[in-house]
């Protein structure tokens, strides 16, 4: 698999997501406006962007302070790769300028300013599911919607990336890779990272008031009235972008 990376590289402490062209337009653009509204820098990595997408990149960066955008071509076009991509490319972004990456879903909305924990590594750990098959139960130890990587935890990020690129990508493998790497490196004591555990105060998928980050899961990101109404606020900010896009294209 020959993947070509181009575009911006993030710097400093930055939120990061990755997406295909469809999710870029439906979710990542509103996410970018929500991040800016709460004074967080965001880096978006777009897989296989269209010509129209690329034309929007500079317009978005004019609107949104701290936004950076990279892209890749030659990647597999399937949902398993899309779900794993952010963890595959994260170590490269750490090598090329980022100090801390707070990795989130492209269909998130930032509800309050997200502080970067004083930690080397952060994961959203939870009690595993009890009524699922063995693979899904293993994966459910970690929610992949919020992960903190830093320069200190680069070896962890690289281990996860290597696990994903050396195995067949199937659904939930990103969560399994995160959990097994954590279990080996932290619980067994191979490395002693300063660790932060995210909770539902940091991120939730029920769209509760007071949560810092909402993440859309399944059909709820299309039909939950609370999420849809909040996202519409940021979609409305895109209207000027669309007008400029058609004027310049």
């Amino acid at each position: 698999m020959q993947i070509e990376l181009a575009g911006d590289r993030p710097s400093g402490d930055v939120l990061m997501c990755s997406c295909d062209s469809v999710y870029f337009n439906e979710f990542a653009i509103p996410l970018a406006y929500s991040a800016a509204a709460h004074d967080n820098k965001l880096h978006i990595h777009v897989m296989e962007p269209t010509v129209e997408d690329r034309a929007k990149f500079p317009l978005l960066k004019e609107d949104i302070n701290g936004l950076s955008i990279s892209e890749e071509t030659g990647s597999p076009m399937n949902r398993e790769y899309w779900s794993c991509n952010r963890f595959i490319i994260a170590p490269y972004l750490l090598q090329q300028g980022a100090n801390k990456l707070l990795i989130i879903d492209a269909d998130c909305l930032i509800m309050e300013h997200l502080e970067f924990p004083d930690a080397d590594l952060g994961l959203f750990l939870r009690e595993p599911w009890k009524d699922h098959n063995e693979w899904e139960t293993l994966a459910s130890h970690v929610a992949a919607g919020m992960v903190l990587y830093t320069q200190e935890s680069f070896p962890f990020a690289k281990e996860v990336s290597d696990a994903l690129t050396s195995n067949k990508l199937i659904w939930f493998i990103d969560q399994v890779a995160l959990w097994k790497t954590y279990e080996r490196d932290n619980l067994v004591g191979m490395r002693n990272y300063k660790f932060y555990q995210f909770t539902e105060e940091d991120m939730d998928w029920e769209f509760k008031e007071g949560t810092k980050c909402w993440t859309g899961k399944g059909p709820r990101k299309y039909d939950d009235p609370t999420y849809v109404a909040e996202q519409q606020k940021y979609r409305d900010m895109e209207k000027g972008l669309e007008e400029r896009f058609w004027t310049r294209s």
Side-chain angles (χ1 to χ4, degrees), residues 42-228:
L42 175 69
H43 181 81
I44 305 174
H45 182 74
V46 187
M47 294 167 275
E48 306 297 332
T50 65
V51 172
E52 290 79 10
D53 295 337
R54 291 191 179 100
K56 290 179 181 178
F57 292 171
L59 302 180
L60 279 169
K61 289 190 285 185
E62 285 178 11
D63 267 4
I64 301 172
N65 290 332
L67 177 65
S68 54
I69 305 174
S70 58
E71 63 177 90
E72 70 179 68
T73 56
S75 57
M77 295 298 287
N78 57 66
R79 72 171 193 156
E80 290 80 11
Y81 180 76
W82 297 333
S83 70
C84 294
N85 173 264
R86 54 195 162 157
F87 302 116
I88 291 173
I89 68 162
Y92 301 100
L93 300 181
L94 286 170
Q95 284 179 317
Q96 297 178 20
N99 179 47
K100 291 185 176 183
L101 289 175
L102 186 52
I103 304 171
I104 57 176
D105 291 324
D107 52 17
C108 282
L109 291 171
I110 306 306
M111 304 301 295
E112 295 183 16
H113 177 70
L114 285 171
E115 297 285 349
F116 284 73
D118 179 19
D120 303 327
L121 174 69
L123 296 174
F124 193 115
L125 302 181
R126 57 188 181 180
E127 287 296 315
W129 297 330
K130 305 297 185 185
D131 54 351
H132 291 64
N133 63 46
E134 183 178 355
W135 177 253
E136 293 177 352
T137 297
L138 184 64
S140 67
H141 283 86
V142 178
M146 186 168 280
V147 172
L148 174 70
Y149 284 163
T150 66
Q151 291 295 322
E152 289 73 20
S153 59
F154 174 83
F156 184 100
K158 187 67 167 59
E159 287 176 31
V160 171
S161 179
D162 289 347
L164 295 173
T165 55
S166 61
N167 286 282
K168 181 180 179 180
L169 297 183
I170 59 177
W171 204 243
F172 290 125
I173 196 171
D174 53 341
Q175 293 170 231
V176 171
L178 289 166
W179 171 249
K180 296 303 290 184
T181 304
Y182 170 78
E183 187 177 45
R184 186 178 71 183
D185 283 10
N186 231 49
L187 299 184
V188 178
M190 290 177 65
R191 295 192 178 93
N192 188 25
Y193 295 117
K194 187 175 182 181
F195 183 72
Y196 183 85
Q197 182 165 331
F198 295 108
T199 71
E200 290 184 7
E201 293 182 2
D202 302 298
M203 175 191 73
D204 87 88
W205 39 90
E206 301 291 344
F207 316 129
K208 298 173 184 175
E209 185 176 353
T211 304
K212 296 176 182 176
C213 177
W214 289 354
T215 184
K217 295 295 182 187
R220 280 178 288 181
K221 57 178 166 275
Y222 300 105
D223 59 23
D224 184 279
T226 302
Y227 176 89
V228 170

Side-chain angles (χ1 to χ4, degrees), residues 233-248:
K233 289 168 41 179
Y234 299 108
R235 286 192 184 282
D236 289 344
M237 294 181 183
E238 294 180 51
K239 291 178 180 177
L241 179 78
E242 290 292 328
E243 292 172 4
R244 284 183 286 141
F245 169 75
W246 290 112
T247 300
R248 296 187 189 184

